[in-house]
Amino acid sequence: MAELTPGSRWASQVCTTEVIVVRAPGGGIDLECGGSPMATPGEGDPNGSPDPASADGSQLGKRYVNDDDTLEILCTKPGDGSLGVGGTLLGLKEAKPLPASD
Amino acid sequence: MMLLEMAAGGFADRVAVGPRDGGLTFAELFAGAGAVADRLRSGDAEHLVLADVSSEALPALLFGASWAGVPFVPLNYRLPDEELRTLASRVSPALAVTEPGTSGRLDGIAGIETVDRGVLPKALPETRPVEHDWRFDGDDVAVLLFTSGTTGTPKAAILRQRHLVAYILGSVEFGAAGEEEAALMSVPPYHVAGIAAILSNVYAGRRVLQLPTFEPGAWIDLVRTERVTNAMVVPTMLARIVEHLDAEGPDPTGLPSLRSLSYGGGRMPQPVIERALELLPDTRFVNAYGLTETSSTVALLGPDEHRDAIRSDDPAVRRRLSSAGRPLPGVEVSIRDESGAETPVGEPGDIWVRGEQVSGEYRDQGSKLTGDGWFPTNDGGWLDDDGYLFVTGRIDDVIVKGGQNISPGEIEGVLLRHPAVADVAAIGLLDHEWGERIVVAVVAITGAETSTEELCALVRRELRSNRMPDHVEFVDELPYNDTGKLLRRVLREQLAHLGDA
């Protein structure tokens, strides 16, 4: 289990997805992409492809949250794998669009 | 930096900065930021100072500083040399980028290395791979902004990475802009709205155009020739734009490309915004209220709220045209009295705000946040039944007459609705009997008739008799700084002879 700190970056091992942690609860959490654990960029052992059950893809600039909204991650590079934690897929955070103010 | 890297990944070949033809693409901006970061890492600068107008180099400097983990410190280049040098020496050792031909202004300060903007490398060398060798630490200081110091020595407000990122993620949808969109930035880089404009527009994927020195004719020309879709101005700029459009005659071309115009950074005279809404019927207006210490906007009045207000017969709805709208989703607003207790709805008090984008921290002075994260803005205001925020002005500007606290904004708001009044400021001047007397400086609309008696009667009718001015002085203009802030201190000096000695 890895301690997720806000600002830490994670790379998928089965696709091109990369994320940055915006908000995380304390304690160990294993982020997954395409059904496989994510790793620190440059430190993993990328191979294989996303599990078909987790292959809807990640979208650049979208934020993903867990059910109780304690975990929020931002997709900084898109890929074919879906983001999840402990076998459960994360949901897309819907933001109400605001008018540009600056 | 994360924001730019995403934009460079999402729309590399789109123009990010400058004219539609020949501007810098997002990929080029990314490479330029890398070159700035390399330059910073090769020396021992602990800050990146900017003593320059807004230019195409600005976004690369802002992001490059963040890439290298060095705070970006844009200074007010209009300050006299001595004040500029004092501010620069406060952040030594630093690399200081100066306007071409002006590096002499910062020569000979210990620890300050100057570099002319014109000789900055435009991009990373071809041999250097564009890889993200930056790290993101939310606690890193991203930007230091010296407050304008209208009341004393400038304070250095600290904005950390996490404040700016919270603001951007909370208010901008990544890549929301269409490829044809362009934002015109006319506030200087040392104003928080200038920094926020770059971050917001880059993240939205919207091209940024800059007008280094505001002039209404040049602004209008740029909007038309570059088909600008979004712009932000301070109230004094909008007043001059409206004047200029009005002078174009009965068959105006208008500004058909302009979809959104936001304004903030000071109080907006009611006649100006009303006329602007008439002149630009297809433009969506946004009024934003925010402070340096809150990473720009914390509340806004949206386009539909503007049109609803001006069309409404209900005075409570119509009045909202002069409000700052409602708080952003990630921001809470609380109105409190002097003891810190929340006031009932509709009652004036001090404006407090809370949210992840709120810093409230100053260099050498620490954080002004309470233990549970609330920041006292030092602005006075009140909330209406539906949560619309009305800002009445700086608490420091409150007039104390006979033990009564009187907000200048309240008196000014009433007088600005008078058809003969173009601009107005209420100040307190020394009075041996009452402590302070209420003096109102009025700029009358050319050719319009009014009198002291008429204006005093209006205040008495709309407010209470203890709000009535003791003296009305008709003046040609009011003193503003270059970002549209009324300089009450200067006005008090100019009119000191109207108070007791």
Side-chain angles (χ1 to χ4, degrees):
Chain A
M1 289 282 198
E3 177 80 20
L4 287 191
T5 49
S8 64
R9 307 172 67 158
W10 300 87
S12 171
Q13 300 301 293
V14 294
C15 71
T16 52
T17 299
E18 283 191 25
V19 301
I20 194 161
V21 176
V22 176
R23 193 149 38 93
I29 290 177
D30 281 333
L31 274 183
E32 297 155 359
C33 182
S36 302
M38 299 182 83
T40 299
E43 288 178 13
D45 176 25
N47 62 62
S49 55
D51 180 327
S54 301
D56 288 336
S58 61
Q59 292 178 57
L60 177 62
K62 294 291 182 192
R63 286 182 283 168
Y64 294 85
V65 290
N66 60 358
D67 282 344
D68 61 2
D69 212 25
T70 52
L71 172 71
E72 180 175 326
I73 61 178
L74 172 71
C75 175
T76 55
K77 281 187 186 163
D80 296 331
S82 306
L83 294 159
V85 166
T88 307
L89 294 184
L90 295 175
L92 199 58
K93 177 168 176 160
E94 297 295 343
K96 206 175 75 183
L98 287 173
S101 65
D102 40 40
Chain B
M1 196 47 223
M2 164 183 104
L3 308 175
L4 173 60
E5 188 183 89
M6 289 168 66
F11 14 84
D13 299 328
R14 204 184 262 199
V15 175
V17 191
R20 201 181 316 110
D21 299 314
L24 282 179
T25 64
F26 280 94
E28 287 165 344
L29 172 57
F30 187 79
V36 171
D38 273 0
R39 178 74 170 78
L40 285 165
R41 284 168 170 171
S42 69
D44 49 14
E46 289 170 17
H47 294 89
L48 175 60
V49 166
L50 179 71
D52 190 7
V53 298
S54 193
S55 77
E56 288 186 14
L58 171 62
L61 292 167
L62 171 63
F63 287 111
S66 162
W67 189 327
V70 167
F72 182 59
V73 192
L75 298 180
N76 181 353
Y77 48 84
R78 289 189 176 96
L79 288 174
D81 286 359
E82 195 167 324
E83 287 174 47
L84 189 73
R85 293 171 68 85
T86 303
L87 294 185
S89 66
R90 282 170 65 178
V91 292
S92 170
L95 179 67
V97 174
T98 54
E99 190 173 358
T102 69
S103 65
R105 299 186 72 196
L106 292 176
D107 272 351
I109 304 171
I112 302 290
E113 182 194 349
T114 57
V115 53
D116 187 293
R117 182 222 307 159
V119 304
L120 278 177
K122 295 281 185 290
L124 283 169
E126 298 283 334
T127 49
R128 163 101 147 71
V130 177
E131 246 332 296
H132 58 240
D133 53 356
W134 52 272
R135 65 189 182 99
F136 178 82
D137 184 336
D139 284 330
D140 276 353
V141 177
V143 179
L144 269 187
L145 286 173
F146 285 96
T147 58
S148 51
T150 50
T151 51
T153 312
K155 292 185 287 189
I158 292 176
L159 295 176
R160 296 181 186 275
Q161 295 281 355
R162 59 186 156 87
H163 301 124
L164 294 174
V165 168
Y167 174 63
I168 297 301
L169 295 187
S171 63
V172 186
E173 178 75 14
F174 178 77
E179 184 146 21
E180 74 292 354
E181 292 187 28
L184 176 53
M185 170 183 161
S186 37
V187 290
Y190 55 84
H191 191 289
V192 68
I195 299 293
I198 293 170
L199 300 177
S200 298
N201 288 304
V202 162
Y203 197 63
R206 190 181 293 115
R207 177 165 67 97
V208 175
L209 273 162
Q210 294 153 314
L211 181 63
T213 308
F214 178 80
E215 197 279 309
W219 189 92
I220 290 167
D221 283 348
L222 255 183
V223 169
R224 287 175 180 159
T225 55
E226 284 288 334
R227 295 200 288 276
V228 166
T229 55
N230 296 62
M232 190 269 164
V233 291
V234 297
T236 44
M237 293 177 184
L238 186 61
R240 295 180 61 199
I241 292 164
V242 163
E243 231 170 64
H244 206 91
L245 287 173
D246 263 331
E248 285 187 345
D251 189 24
T253 331
L255 301 171
S257 67
L258 193 64
R259 298 177 197 170
S260 167
L261 182 59
S262 75
Y263 59 92
R267 64 214 176 104
M268 173 66 79
Q270 204 75 357
V272 172
I273 185 63
E274 287 181 8
R275 185 68 186 134
L277 283 159
E278 283 167 22
L279 283 170
L280 304 171
D282 301 321
T283 300
R284 293 163 64 78
F285 284 81
V286 177
N287 178 14
Y289 166 68
L291 296 93
T292 302
E293 296 90 333
T294 61
S295 310
S296 197
T297 309
V298 288
L300 60 82
L301 185 76
D304 298 336
E305 294 162 318
H306 273 82
R307 302 282 174 193
D308 288 350
I310 200 156
R311 277 197 291 259
S312 179
D313 298 326
D314 180 349
V317 175
R318 200 178 159 84
R319 192 171 55 185
R320 285 183 190 148
L321 198 53
S322 62
S323 81
R326 287 187 282 199
L328 297 191
V331 175
E332 296 167 85
V333 169
S334 164
I335 308 294
R336 301 182 180 186
D337 65 20
E338 280 164 12
S339 72
E342 211 158 66
T343 60
V345 167
E347 290 290 317
D350 304 350
I351 302 175
W352 291 65
V353 296
R354 179 164 77 170
E356 287 180 24
Q357 71 183 69
V358 177
S359 148
E361 184 186 1
Y362 304 94
R363 203 158 172 251
D364 307 325
Q365 296 178 35
S367 172
K368 299 280 185 248
L369 300 189
T370 60
D372 51 359
W374 287 96
F375 172 66
T377 62
N378 234 354
D379 279 334
W382 53 281
L383 290 165
D384 76 6
D385 292 340
D386 291 313
Y388 285 81
L389 176 65
F390 291 77
V391 182
T392 48
R394 302 300 285 172
I395 294 165
D396 305 337
D397 297 331
V398 162
I399 300 164
V400 186
K401 179 181 175 184
Q404 300 272 350
N405 285 349
I406 297 163
S407 158
E410 200 182 3
I411 298 170
E412 292 160 3
V414 168
L415 291 175
L416 279 170
R417 291 202 291 270
H418 190 285
V421 173
D423 202 0
V424 60
I427 54 171
L429 291 177
L430 189 65
D431 185 295
H432 290 324
E433 190 178 351
W434 296 98
E436 281 186 317
R437 69 182 62 155
I438 303 171
V439 173
V440 172
V442 171
V443 182
I445 286 171
T446 318
E449 292 268 336
T450 185
S451 64
T452 297
E453 292 68 33
E454 192 177 283
L455 295 177
C456 287
L458 176 66
V459 173
R460 185 207 285 271
R461 196 164 63 240
E462 295 281 320
L463 302 170
R464 273 169 284 172
S465 61
N466 67 356
R467 262 61 173 171
M468 215 170 76
D470 295 293
H471 181 91
V472 175
E473 183 77 358
F474 288 92
V475 297
D476 292 336
E477 59 175 8
L478 295 174
Y480 284 95
N481 74 6
D482 47 75
T483 54
K485 272 206 182 75
L486 176 66
L487 297 172
R488 289 177 194 273
R489 183 173 44 87
V490 172
L491 185 64
R492 271 193 289 270
E493 285 163 13
Q494 289 171 353
L495 301 183
H497 61 279
L498 299 172
D500 284 336

